[in-house]
mmCIF file of all heavy atoms in Angstrom:
data_model
loop_
_atom_site.group_PDB
_atom_site.id
_atom_site.type_symbol
_atom_site.label_atom_id
_atom_site.label_comp_id
_atom_site.label_asym_id
_atom_site.label_seq_id
_atom_site.Cartn_x
_atom_site.Cartn_y
_atom_site.Cartn_z
ATOM 1 N N ILE A 279 128.925 106.159 90.568
ATOM 2 C CA ILE A 279 128.930 107.605 90.800
ATOM 3 C C ILE A 279 129.059 107.892 92.290
ATOM 4 O O ILE A 279 128.327 107.338 93.115
ATOM 5 C CB ILE A 279 127.637 108.244 90.261
ATOM 6 C CG1 ILE A 279 127.519 108.008 88.754
ATOM 7 C CG2 ILE A 279 127.597 109.738 90.563
ATOM 8 C CD1 ILE A 279 126.190 108.452 88.160
ATOM 9 N N ASN A 280 130.007 108.765 92.627
ATOM 10 C CA ASN A 280 130.143 109.153 94.030
ATOM 11 C C ASN A 280 129.995 110.646 94.261
ATOM 12 O O ASN A 280 130.101 111.120 95.393
ATOM 13 C CB ASN A 280 131.478 108.658 94.618
ATOM 14 C CG ASN A 280 132.679 109.125 93.803
ATOM 15 O OD1 ASN A 280 132.739 110.260 93.346
ATOM 16 N ND2 ASN A 280 133.644 108.221 93.614
ATOM 17 N N GLY A 281 129.714 111.402 93.194
ATOM 18 C CA GLY A 281 129.504 112.837 93.371
ATOM 19 C C GLY A 281 128.885 113.487 92.153
ATOM 20 O O GLY A 281 129.087 113.038 91.019
ATOM 21 N N VAL A 282 128.092 114.535 92.386
ATOM 22 C CA VAL A 282 127.491 115.317 91.311
ATOM 23 C C VAL A 282 127.567 116.780 91.734
ATOM 24 O O VAL A 282 127.243 117.127 92.880
ATOM 25 C CB VAL A 282 126.029 114.875 91.040
ATOM 26 C CG1 VAL A 282 125.169 114.933 92.289
ATOM 27 C CG2 VAL A 282 125.401 115.702 89.922
ATOM 28 N N TYR A 283 128.041 117.651 90.813
ATOM 29 C CA TYR A 283 128.327 119.034 91.180
ATOM 30 C C TYR A 283 127.895 120.001 90.087
ATOM 31 O O TYR A 283 127.984 119.694 88.887
ATOM 32 C CB TYR A 283 129.843 119.211 91.427
ATOM 33 C CG TYR A 283 130.418 118.226 92.396
ATOM 34 C CD1 TYR A 283 131.110 117.102 91.948
ATOM 35 C CD2 TYR A 283 130.262 118.415 93.765
ATOM 36 C CE1 TYR A 283 131.632 116.189 92.847
ATOM 37 C CE2 TYR A 283 130.793 117.499 94.676
ATOM 38 C CZ TYR A 283 131.472 116.392 94.203
ATOM 39 O OH TYR A 283 131.994 115.487 95.094
ATOM 40 N N PRO A 284 127.442 121.204 90.483
ATOM 41 C CA PRO A 284 127.165 122.253 89.490
ATOM 42 C C PRO A 284 128.462 122.915 89.049
ATOM 43 O O PRO A 284 129.406 123.045 89.842
ATOM 44 C CB PRO A 284 126.277 123.231 90.269
ATOM 45 C CG PRO A 284 126.710 123.081 91.699
ATOM 46 C CD PRO A 284 127.118 121.638 91.861
ATOM 47 N N LYS A 285 128.513 123.306 87.784
ATOM 48 C CA LYS A 285 129.707 123.990 87.292
ATOM 49 C C LYS A 285 129.325 124.870 86.105
ATOM 50 O O LYS A 285 129.063 124.375 85.004
ATOM 51 C CB LYS A 285 130.777 122.970 86.873
ATOM 52 C CG LYS A 285 132.115 123.619 86.519
ATOM 53 C CD LYS A 285 133.194 122.574 86.254
ATOM 54 C CE LYS A 285 134.529 123.234 85.961
ATOM 55 N NZ LYS A 285 135.596 122.236 85.695
ATOM 56 N N ASN A 286 129.253 126.189 86.346
ATOM 57 C CA ASN A 286 128.943 127.154 85.289
ATOM 58 C C ASN A 286 127.664 126.787 84.525
ATOM 59 O O ASN A 286 127.662 126.677 83.291
ATOM 60 C CB ASN A 286 130.121 127.277 84.304
ATOM 61 C CG ASN A 286 131.397 127.713 84.981
ATOM 62 O OD1 ASN A 286 131.364 128.511 85.922
ATOM 63 N ND2 ASN A 286 132.522 127.180 84.522
ATOM 64 N N ASP A 287 126.573 126.603 85.265
ATOM 65 C CA ASP A 287 125.266 126.246 84.698
ATOM 66 C C ASP A 287 125.238 124.856 84.067
ATOM 67 O O ASP A 287 124.257 124.476 83.435
ATOM 68 C CB ASP A 287 124.811 127.277 83.641
ATOM 69 C CG ASP A 287 124.594 128.642 84.258
ATOM 70 O OD1 ASP A 287 124.159 128.697 85.430
ATOM 71 O OD2 ASP A 287 124.861 129.649 83.572
ATOM 72 N N LYS A 288 126.331 124.137 84.227
ATOM 73 C CA LYS A 288 126.388 122.751 83.761
ATOM 74 C C LYS A 288 126.508 121.831 84.985
ATOM 75 O O LYS A 288 126.510 122.285 86.125
ATOM 76 C CB LYS A 288 127.589 122.538 82.837
ATOM 77 C CG LYS A 288 127.632 123.468 81.629
ATOM 78 C CD LYS A 288 126.852 122.923 80.468
ATOM 79 C CE LYS A 288 127.080 123.763 79.217
ATOM 80 N NZ LYS A 288 126.399 123.194 78.039
ATOM 81 N N ILE A 289 126.612 120.550 84.725
ATOM 82 C CA ILE A 289 126.756 119.579 85.802
ATOM 83 C C ILE A 289 127.965 118.707 85.532
ATOM 84 O O ILE A 289 128.248 118.348 84.385
ATOM 85 C CB ILE A 289 125.499 118.689 85.909
ATOM 86 C CG1 ILE A 289 124.243 119.531 86.131
ATOM 87 C CG2 ILE A 289 125.645 117.674 87.040
ATOM 88 C CD1 ILE A 289 122.958 118.734 86.093
ATOM 89 N N ALA A 290 128.669 118.369 86.594
ATOM 90 C CA ALA A 290 129.766 117.410 86.498
ATOM 91 C C ALA A 290 129.425 116.197 87.359
ATOM 92 O O ALA A 290 128.931 116.332 88.478
ATOM 93 C CB ALA A 290 131.076 118.031 86.960
ATOM 94 N N VAL A 291 129.682 115.024 86.799
ATOM 95 C CA VAL A 291 129.476 113.775 87.516
ATOM 96 C C VAL A 291 130.823 113.098 87.677
ATOM 97 O O VAL A 291 131.576 112.952 86.710
ATOM 98 C CB VAL A 291 128.502 112.843 86.756
ATOM 99 C CG1 VAL A 291 128.487 111.455 87.376
ATOM 100 C CG2 VAL A 291 127.097 113.419 86.757
ATOM 101 N N VAL A 292 131.134 112.678 88.899
ATOM 102 C CA VAL A 292 132.418 112.030 89.139
ATOM 103 C C VAL A 292 132.178 110.656 89.769
ATOM 104 O O VAL A 292 131.161 110.429 90.440
ATOM 105 C CB VAL A 292 133.326 112.881 90.064
ATOM 106 C CG1 VAL A 292 133.663 114.193 89.397
ATOM 107 C CG2 VAL A 292 132.651 113.124 91.413
ATOM 108 N N GLY A 293 133.105 109.777 89.512
ATOM 109 C CA GLY A 293 132.970 108.434 90.062
ATOM 110 C C GLY A 293 134.112 107.557 89.607
ATOM 111 O O GLY A 293 135.190 108.057 89.248
ATOM 112 N N GLU A 294 133.871 106.260 89.596
ATOM 113 C CA GLU A 294 134.887 105.305 89.172
ATOM 114 C C GLU A 294 134.363 104.471 88.019
ATOM 115 O O GLU A 294 133.305 103.835 88.129
ATOM 116 C CB GLU A 294 135.291 104.391 90.333
ATOM 117 C CG GLU A 294 136.015 105.117 91.445
ATOM 118 C CD GLU A 294 136.558 104.172 92.509
ATOM 119 O OE1 GLU A 294 136.346 102.955 92.370
ATOM 120 O OE2 GLU A 294 137.201 104.659 93.457
ATOM 121 N N LEU A 295 135.093 104.490 86.931
ATOM 122 C CA LEU A 295 134.767 103.697 85.749
ATOM 123 C C LEU A 295 135.701 102.498 85.729
ATOM 124 O O LEU A 295 136.907 102.648 85.521
ATOM 125 C CB LEU A 295 134.918 104.525 84.474
ATOM 126 C CG LEU A 295 134.710 103.781 83.146
ATOM 127 C CD1 LEU A 295 133.304 103.199 83.059
ATOM 128 C CD2 LEU A 295 134.990 104.707 81.955
ATOM 129 N N ASP A 296 135.127 101.336 86.014
ATOM 130 C CA ASP A 296 135.912 100.098 86.076
ATOM 131 C C ASP A 296 137.115 100.265 87.001
ATOM 132 O O ASP A 296 138.227 99.820 86.709
ATOM 133 C CB ASP A 296 136.366 99.687 84.676
ATOM 134 C CG ASP A 296 136.671 98.188 84.593
ATOM 135 O OD1 ASP A 296 136.284 97.449 85.528
ATOM 136 O OD2 ASP A 296 137.300 97.763 83.606
#
Side-chain angles (χ1 to χ4, degrees):
I279 299 173
N280 55 41
V282 55
Y283 308 100
K285 187 174 182 180
N286 301 325
D287 296 326
K288 304 273 188 176
I289 303 174
V291 170
V292 297
E294 293 187 359
L295 175 61
D296 203 14

